[in-house]
Amino acid sequence: MEHEGAEGRAGLVTIGEFARLSRLSAKALRRYDELGLLRPALVDPVNGYRHYDRAQAEQARLVAWLRRIGMPLARISEVVALDDGAAAAEIRAYWGRVEAETAARRELAAFLVDHLSAKENAGMSNGDGTGRGPATLGIRYAALAHPGAVRTSQQDTAYAGARLLAVADGFGVSGAGASAAAVAALKPAARGAVDAADLLSALHEAAESSARAVHDAVAGDGAPEESGTTLTALVWTGERLGLVHIGDSRAYVLRGGELFRITHDHTLVQSMIDDGSLGQEEAASHPQRAMLLRALAGGPEAQARPDVRLHDTLPGDRYLLCSDGLSAVVDEAEVTRAVIAADGPDAAVRALVALAGDAGAPDNVSCVVADVVALRHRVPPEPGPDWKGDGDRLWRSHDGDDMERDARCDPDRRGGAAQDGDRR
């Protein structure tokens, strides 16, 4: 009788009937009630029976679906409280992170398979009786950063060195400090010879160091979560490149006459392209195309973990790292033509920055280009008088005149572009 009274009194249904409506078990409904995700419309004060409104079935199914895609319960409680549009955006952002993390784990698994297989077959490449090992490779590199035609400050950092190539695009009040801190935190991982297996662990540690460094660099802001940076970097081992990536700066490789992007943008627009809700043509003009889903910023560090993986190299490869000051304003076909046509890394970065200028250069633009070359000497030559420090290079131009003067007057820079192929 109490049953019928409660049901008839408010148009409610019992937990058993609601379980059939929502296609959930009574056990799951009790669990969602305990967690505060789906409260019953009425709990009988005498016997404790739960009664639900039929209109709650849609919310119950949403909770179940979110659980099926692996969303944490704490985040589900936030999503179900949002309107439909905001909830859709939050789910899209969550799934973009899941896909990025899954891709990183997939690449790590592939690396482990390759690495263990290579160890099993170690020595086979030397079985021709010549005593020669694998080809010894080196890189030639150049970097260039320019504030563009509109911005009054330079928040990009472009860095090229014998073992580290990096582009970071800062944003917010402390953007310049954030980009510089992110790159500086990677330098210890690029010192000394590191084999591929050790490099992967070192990169994960360096990525965490970059996140902490940026967090500390922007901590004094009034709104630290609104300042931060992207980061795209390559660490050279002498045979492989280790990639660290977060945000929408990009890395490409020119191989066999084609330019391939080897990074995935961590943006709202890219996540919409991934799930099929937006086409490539629409993406270029989308009003939120610059909205980042992941970056190194002043917020919780656990939400800003860069992708880390290893990338195999071949002699003749040309790598390009750039901020969206280039990729967002210059068509990829034009970028490809410029990268192919350039006679060396220094000419390439100049041509690419010029293309951004021709397109109006509405943002800071930074580029790093590196060529992978076969070395003539198995043992690198002793450092000459033109070498400085450990071979690192860093240029941060603050106006066009500085950029041109640095290029003309810095002999070390010219030597880096022409001679670094002889360095390991």
Side-chain angles (χ1 to χ4, degrees), residues 196-342:
D198 292 337
L199 176 64
L200 198 61
S201 297
L203 287 176
H204 278 286
E205 294 174 2
E208 293 175 1
S209 295
S210 287
R212 289 193 297 270
V214 171
H215 185 272
D216 293 343
V218 305
D221 283 355
E225 69 280 359
E226 296 178 8
S227 289
T229 186
T230 69
L231 177 63
T232 300
L234 293 169
V235 177
W236 175 245
T237 69
E239 54 186 35
R240 277 183 169 181
L241 284 164
L243 173 69
V244 177
H245 170 69
I246 187 167
D248 62 353
S249 295
R250 293 180 175 181
Y252 298 84
V253 59
L254 178 68
R255 180 178 291 176
E258 294 187 65
L259 193 69
F260 303 94
R261 178 148 57 106
I262 60 175
T263 52
H264 196 74
D265 290 348
H266 299 138
T267 60
L268 175 62
V269 163
Q270 184 63 57
S271 71
M272 294 171 70
I273 293 172
D274 294 340
D275 66 20
S277 61
L278 190 69
Q280 289 284 359
E281 298 77 12
E282 303 168 289
S285 58
H286 194 280
Q288 294 179 305
R289 62 186 179 277
M291 180 177 290
L292 294 171
L293 295 182
R294 291 169 61 194
L296 300 178
E301 295 172 30
Q303 297 180 8
R305 296 179 179 174
D307 296 339
V308 172
R309 68 175 184 269
L310 297 185
H311 190 81
D312 289 323
T313 60
L314 294 174
D317 284 350
R318 172 167 286 180
Y319 287 86
L320 164 65
L321 280 62
C322 66
S323 64
D324 68 341
L326 175 71
S327 60
V329 299
V330 180
D331 184 78
E332 195 164 290
E334 288 187 75
V335 171
T336 301
R337 285 192 290 270
V339 173
I340 290 174

Side-chain angles (χ1 to χ4, degrees), residues 102-125:
T102 300
R105 289 195 294 269
R106 180 171 59 246
E107 289 161 357
L108 175 57
F111 160 73
L112 291 172
V113 170
D114 291 344
H115 177 64
L116 295 173
S117 298
K119 287 178 67 177
E120 182 181 7
N121 298 321
M124 293 181 63
S125 61

